[in-house]
Amino acid sequence: MRLTTKGRYAVTAVLDLALNSKDKPVNLSDISSRQAISLSYLEQLFSKLRKNNIVKSIRGPGGGYLLNAPRDQISVATIINAVNESVELSRCDGRANCHDGQQCLTHNLWVDLSDRINDFLDRISIGELIRQNEQQNSQINRNHQGDIPISSYGS
Amino acid sequence: MRLTTKGRYAVTAVLDLALNSKDKPVNLSDISSRQAISLSYLEQLFSKLRKNNIVKSIRGPGGGYLLNAPRDQISVATIINAVNESVELSRCDGRANCHDGQQCLTHNLWVDLSDRINDFLDRISIGELIRQNEQQNSQINRNHQGDIPISSYGS
DNA sequence: CTATACTTGACTAAATTAGTTGGTTATTAC
DNA sequence: GTAATAACCAACTAATTTAGTCAAGTATAG
């Protein structure tokens, strides 16, 4: 489990997709301008998201991407792992090439932790994230911290 | 909240420290050779850990580092945040410099998620990690997956 | 047929991570 | 008091990853 800007971009882009696709496919140019992520970088990310069956694509004019499953069935962990694919976490994960016992022990401890984080993020779906945020905004229906009205979001 | 190899190194090093210091300070050279992390990189990490009061140092011969609190009071989140200091997560976190409402919305969603991950990791202490792993090893006292005996760990 | 938009791959720039070097300072032991 | 140890510190470099650019394609709607 890794949590970098790359994963953040991917989750953000999928959230944008979920929020803006009303059964209609959303094209990457739109996500690019809304989220200020370069088109080509989005292409790289969506290529991996598509290969992992998180989104599906429709080519040609009016095409774009759609979620490949209901919002509540797409977990944050799935998205992050999709774009971080093929990055090995620990140099010795079970294999015996770990000279010193001490090193292997701490590696195991890290792998345990990593698994727990993964389980945690696997239980958070993008649907849940969106709902939770909506609830927050309706509960605290006044300005928080600064003076940016909540109502300016959907503009 | 970010989760990179840097944080992994830091957590691993603190775990090594916790496991090897019996009231005696542990010097970085030992951690370096046990964990195969370069000495100078450890110095950089421990400089931050010390400034964040996670460890304390003793200079001179026989010196080294000690945990600055009981194992159970040092959370994984604290360690990771200490070494990742001064890395801003999201370009608009509450400030009004976020042109488009859509961008700000997804940013908020990410900040919410990040907070949840942080809370989660703040509830996991290195003491707990070590205990949990000890339990696992005593419960499953036979080979798992491959054929590397558990008993070879502590050698 | 033409414009749109996905798809792919190679390449480049920027940022972060990791390691190197070469010191200084505090402390212990001799 | 001087030699050895180990923290402390800063500047520099190498390696890796992230992000973006460029230049092709292919499928499809109209």
Side-chain angles (χ1 to χ4, degrees), chain A residues 1-13:
Chain A
M1 196 74 227
R2 274 156 30 93
L3 207 62
T4 63
T5 46
K6 193 175 190 176
R8 190 184 85 216
Y9 275 133
V11 172
T12 300

Side-chain angles (χ1 to χ4, degrees), chain A residues 2 4-6 9 37-38 40-41 44 59-61:
Chain A
R2 274 156 30 93
T4 63
T5 46
K6 193 175 190 176
Y9 275 133
I37 305 170
S38 86
S40 56
Y41 196 44
Q44 291 173 39
R59 298 174 74 148

Side-chain angles (χ1 to χ4, degrees), chain B residues 55-106:
Chain B
V55 298
K56 59 188 165 193
S57 64
I58 295 167
R59 299 175 75 150
Y65 288 92
L66 285 167
L67 295 183
N68 199 27
R71 288 177 177 190
D72 290 330
Q73 283 173 34
I74 298 175
S75 80
V76 172
T78 314
I79 298 169
I80 291 173
N81 289 328
V83 296
N84 286 337
E85 253 179 351
S86 81
V87 186
E88 62 173 322
L89 267 178
S90 137
R91 328 184 214 199
C92 90
D93 47 357
R95 289 180 299 277
N97 56 355
C98 192
H99 2 279
D100 194 317
Q102 279 285 343
Q103 194 182 347
C104 203
L105 174 53
T106 53

Side-chain angles (χ1 to χ4, degrees), chain A residues 14 17 43 49 53 56 80 83 94 100 103-104 115-116 141 155:
Chain A
V14 173
L17 178 53
E43 284 171 347
L49 293 173
N53 299 312
K56 58 188 165 195
I80 290 174
V83 297
D100 194 316
Q103 193 182 351
C104 205
D115 286 348
R116 285 170 71 171
N141 223 346
S155 68

Side-chain angles (χ1 to χ4, degrees), chain A residues 70-132:
Chain A
R71 288 177 177 189
D72 290 329
Q73 283 172 34
I74 299 175
S75 80
V76 171
T78 315
I79 298 170
I80 290 174
N81 289 328
V83 297
N84 285 338
E85 252 178 352
S86 82
V87 185
E88 61 172 324
L89 266 178
S90 135
R91 329 182 212 201
C92 89
D93 46 0
R95 290 183 298 278
N97 56 355
C98 191
H99 3 278
D100 194 316
Q102 279 285 344
Q103 193 182 351
C104 205
L105 174 54
T106 53
H107 280 179
N108 283 343
L109 290 169
W110 180 264
V111 170
D112 285 351
L113 177 61
S114 188
D115 286 348
R116 285 170 71 171
I117 298 169
N118 197 81
D119 287 351
F120 177 69
L121 292 181
D122 208 39
R123 271 182 257 111
I124 302 178
S125 70
I126 55 165
E128 192 202 321
L129 263 185
I130 293 170
R131 271 198 308 280
Q132 193 199 260

Side-chain angles (χ1 to χ4, degrees), chain B residues 2 5-6 9 38 40-41 44 59 61:
Chain B
R2 277 158 25 96
T5 47
K6 192 177 191 174
Y9 275 134
S38 86
S40 57
Y41 196 44
Q44 290 174 39
R59 299 175 75 150

